[in-house]
Amino acid sequence: MAGTEDFFEHIKKGYTTKGDYIVMGAAMQNGEAVTDALVKIPLKTLNRHGLIAGATGTGKTKTLQVLAENLSQKGIPVMLMDLKGDLSGLAQPSPGHPKIDERHAKIGIPFKANSFPVEILSLSEQDGVKLRATVSEFGPVLLSRILDLSETQEGIVAVVFKYCDDQKMPLLDLKDFKKVLQYATGAGKAEFTKEYGRISTSSTGAILRKIIELEQQGAELFFGEKSFDVMDLTRVDAKGQGYINILRLTDIQDRPKLFSTFMLSLLAEIYSTFPEQGDSDQPELILFIDEAHLIFKEASKALLDQIESIVKLIRSKGIGLYFVTQNPTDVPNDVLAQLGLKVQHALRAFTARDRKAIKMTAENYPESEYYDTKEVLTSLGIGEALISALDEKGRPTPLAATLLRAPMSRMDVLTDKELANVIDKSSLVNKYNEIIDRESAYEILNEKIDEAEKLAEKEKNKPKPRRTSTRQSTRQNPIIKVLTSATFIRGVLGVLKKVMR
Ligand SMILES: Nc1ncnc2c1ncn2[C@@H]1O[C@H](COP(=O)(O)OP(=O)(O)OP(=O)(O)O)[C@@H](O)[C@H]1O
Ligand SMILES: [Mg+2]
């Protein structure tokens, strides 16, 4: 193995950047940090997505915290999917600790505590800015993907959207959507059949069942108004620090369908809203998804395809996606293949399956004359990780086992009072938390059905039967009236008599 000086030069050269960067920590050789051998990630490549992986308790969430802080300091806003509720500490400075000073002395950068501008978001009843989207915004394709519909069922969803469009009927929440579906095969059957062809009750029934499944995971809280403007995620505070938007998802662990629905809609919305960015010096927004295996866990093939293509496309909008998960094999291969930054914390080799995963993970890293990757993967300490990134030209940087810097903010969570304080100060809470239920498909169709029923009732209560009324109207016809009148018949008979003579 080569000496420390060679190693230092190797890292220094591999991690030199022309533009601005963030520092992750110092590279380690033989288990020890080499002071000043800094592992720097160019801001320019941060939209190339990333992965933070490692066994439980090895430091993944703190790495996420470190990345978020450093991005915020560079004026880059971030959004964190906080599934365990352990990220709110970003709003308070770290109290410091001798161990943190020791860590930073080894790395070669001074430790400075800092707090960050935090916005708390929520998908459910929890406090914070409510994130919502309307069914219309989802569109027929995405909604069908989420519901995992067949082609025929997808066709029906498209017709429902078209009908609402034609009728200028807003589709806001799931209540609206269900109402139109029921209407299509119920009171509105004739109208639908005439305009769009026959719709089978069994198909609408199947779609309704899928919607109910989604509702059982609490989706009705998410669908509706006021819909969230994703541009509000890109705010920067007065000091030039990017906002850290923390979406608290502690109550969503057991609702993977809702989580993947939300993630997909968010990504689609971001993709359609953000402008193409071209070749830029830094990203517009970075999204971190902690416990990312939850999005992939129950995703259908169609949904996975959709996620893969969005991951591919969203990069050009300056958006970086970072998946945090225990095992890299939790992330589908097609997504893994697109990740520029990999931060791999220690893996544990308890079972044969673990050893296989370690072998596979090691094979996915660039070779290095300084490391036996498999060995490093199992011997990394807490707050240490194997890093492989992209340089500004898009080439992989040298593999670096890294002693990671400590978070500048508090590693522990906020107290309830501190959290309430952050939410109180938020300007977005007022913007998004009023409940709106304006007239939409549900109300419009109910009115239409009501009117039709009233009309039918009126008809039914009319005193004369239909037949009489037909005769009445025939008699009222002036021509028939003339033709059948006694004077006319007498006249005709008179003429005939004359002719016969
Ligand atoms: N960069 C770091 N600097 C200082 N201490 C760290 C660092 N990373 C991790 N630690 C220590 O390790 C502990 C566990 O880290 P963390 O919560 O990030 O693990 P994790 O991999 O996310 O675990 P889990 O799988 O349970 O979510 C932290 O509470 C902290 O004490
Ligand atoms: Mg964690």
Side-chain angles (χ1 to χ4, degrees):
M1 265 199 191
T4 306
E5 239 161 74
D6 286 346
F7 178 75
F8 183 81
E9 284 308 316
H10 166 71
I11 294 295
K12 200 169 164 216
K13 188 162 159 258
Y15 286 93
T16 299
T17 71
K18 262 199 205 148
D20 207 356
Y21 56 86
I22 56 176
V23 177
M24 297 297 293
M28 299 161 55
Q29 191 184 21
N30 305 323
E32 285 300 322
V34 177
T35 309
D36 294 333
L38 299 184
V39 174
K40 302 169 181 171
I41 315 294
L43 298 188
K44 197 177 162 60
T45 64
L46 284 168
N47 65 334
R48 304 286 295 266
H49 310 317
L51 173 77
I52 303 170
T56 176
T58 51
K60 298 180 298 293
T61 305
K62 297 301 169 259
T63 297
L64 188 166
Q65 189 171 349
V66 162
L67 274 165
E69 294 176 339
N70 283 278
L71 290 165
S72 168
Q73 275 193 334
K74 296 289 177 189
I76 300 167
V78 299
M79 179 172 189
L80 315 176
M81 313 297 156
D82 187 5
L83 279 109
K84 286 197 184 154
D86 49 5
L87 288 163
S88 59
L90 278 154
Q92 288 288 334
S94 161
H97 193 278
K99 281 216 163 130
I100 292 180
D101 294 329
E102 204 180 299
R103 182 181 274 264
H104 274 247
K106 282 187 193 163
I107 297 171
I109 47 174
F111 177 75
K112 205 166 158 262
N114 193 17
S115 64
F116 296 86
V118 161
E119 190 72 66
I120 303 286
L121 317 173
S122 151
L123 264 191
S124 61
E125 297 292 7
Q126 280 183 341
D127 287 340
V129 180
K130 298 269 178 290
L131 291 191
R132 292 197 193 91
T134 65
V135 171
S136 300
E137 282 166 330
F138 260 73
V141 177
L142 200 56
L143 193 66
S144 302
R145 293 279 148 86
I146 284 157
L147 295 174
D148 197 16
L149 301 183
S150 69
E151 228 168 85
T152 317
Q153 293 161 351
E154 209 175 320
I156 294 174
V157 171
V159 164
V160 166
F161 272 78
K162 173 86 173 65
Y163 174 77
C164 291
D165 223 30
D166 291 348
Q167 302 287 319
K168 311 248 172 312
M169 223 183 251
L171 266 180
L172 304 181
D173 47 26
L174 290 174
K175 197 171 66 175
D176 289 332
F177 191 76
K178 285 193 298 188
K179 189 81 208 177
V180 189
L181 263 183
Q182 283 159 344
Y183 182 75
T185 50
K189 193 173 173 178
E191 186 188 349
F192 260 82
T193 310
K194 197 167 141 238
E195 292 288 324
Y196 310 96
R198 212 179 74 79
I199 290 176
S200 88
T201 325
S202 65
S203 295
T204 54
I207 302 172
L208 279 170
R209 280 193 295 278
K210 294 260 173 88
I211 294 174
I212 289 165
E213 206 182 302
L214 195 61
E215 280 179 326
Q216 277 164 350
Q217 302 209 350
E220 75 273 14
L221 281 170
F222 169 58
F223 284 98
E225 286 188 309
K226 183 175 190 181
S227 56
F228 187 78
D229 176 0
V230 289
M231 280 300 174
D232 276 334
L233 295 173
T234 62
R235 294 180 309 146
V236 172
D237 77 353
K239 282 196 242 163
Q241 299 190 113
Y243 259 87
I244 299 182
N245 303 283
I246 302 179
L247 176 60
R248 305 190 79 215
L249 295 164
T250 42
D251 50 353
I252 219 162
Q253 298 247 21
D254 52 342
R255 298 186 272 175
K257 206 157 213 155
L258 180 59
F259 186 44
S260 50
T261 300
F262 160 73
M263 272 314 299
L264 198 56
S265 81
L266 180 75
L267 295 179
E269 185 62 16
I270 287 176
Y271 180 70
S272 66
T273 311
F274 281 64
E276 278 297 320
Q277 214 205 10
D279 197 24
S280 169
D281 288 338
Q282 67 175 57
E284 294 296 304
L285 174 71
I286 300 285
L287 297 165
F288 291 93
I289 305 161
D290 205 355
E291 308 288 332
H293 60 276
L294 286 180
I295 326 186
F296 302 113
K297 200 168 138 192
E298 275 193 25
S300 63
K301 172 86 178 65
L303 194 59
L304 279 180
D305 287 349
Q306 188 85 8
I307 293 175
E308 272 163 33
S309 64
I310 287 189
V311 169
K312 225 172 269 173
L313 295 168
I314 210 165
R315 208 166 73 189
S316 64
K317 307 267 179 163
I319 313 294
L321 289 176
Y322 288 73
F323 300 97
V324 186
T325 192
Q326 292 203 4
N327 209 317
T329 50
D330 293 337
V331 180
N333 275 334
D334 286 339
V335 174
L336 267 187
Q338 298 182 52
L339 306 178
L341 174 65
K342 288 186 211 146
V343 183
Q344 177 67 59
H345 288 265
L347 286 172
R348 307 273 177 246
F350 295 131
T351 63
R353 207 159 141 232
D354 291 343
R355 283 190 286 278
K356 207 169 148 203
I358 290 168
K359 191 163 168 273
M360 268 170 61
T361 307
E363 280 164 6
N364 272 324
Y365 280 86
E367 297 222 334
S368 166
E369 58 174 304
Y370 296 95
Y371 300 115
D372 171 351
T373 308
K374 249 172 36 189
E375 204 267 322
V376 173
L377 280 176
T378 49
S379 59
L380 288 163
I382 290 171
E384 299 173 2
L386 202 55
I387 293 186
S388 145
L390 294 175
D391 69 11
E392 284 163 312
K393 292 213 170 84
R395 297 168 305 200
T397 57
L399 193 61
T402 308
L403 177 65
L404 296 160
R405 67 190 299 168
M408 295 175 245
S409 55
R410 191 194 286 175
M411 286 206 245
D412 206 354
V413 296
L414 296 189
T415 61
D416 288 348
K417 205 169 153 211
E418 286 169 330
L419 193 67
N421 211 0
V422 171
I423 294 168
D424 266 359
K425 277 197 309 201
S426 158
S427 56
L428 292 187
V429 165
N430 293 335
K431 179 171 173 188
Y432 289 108
N433 288 17
E434 47 170 333
I435 300 224
I436 311 173
D437 191 8
R438 70 180 160 109
E439 189 177 66
S440 53
Y442 181 81
E443 289 82 11
I444 297 174
L445 285 181
N446 267 346
E447 223 168 81
K448 203 164 164 174
I449 295 167
D450 267 3
E451 262 166 37
E453 274 169 4
K454 263 187 222 146
L455 206 72
E457 191 69 17
K458 234 189 200 165
E459 286 292 323
K460 213 171 86 189
N461 291 340
K462 271 191 183 158
K464 284 167 197 135
R466 232 177 125 78
R467 250 211 193 144
T468 331
S469 76
T470 318
R471 224 184 278 156
Q472 234 174 11
S473 68
T474 329
R475 221 181 277 158
Q476 268 157 8
N477 181 325
I479 298 174
I480 294 177
K481 212 169 157 187
V482 172
L483 288 178
T484 51
S485 69
T487 352
F488 182 76
I489 293 172
R490 247 183 269 128
V492 172
L493 283 176
V495 174
L496 277 175
K497 262 186 204 159
K498 270 186 198 157
V499 174
M500 303 272 282
R501 265 194 231 130

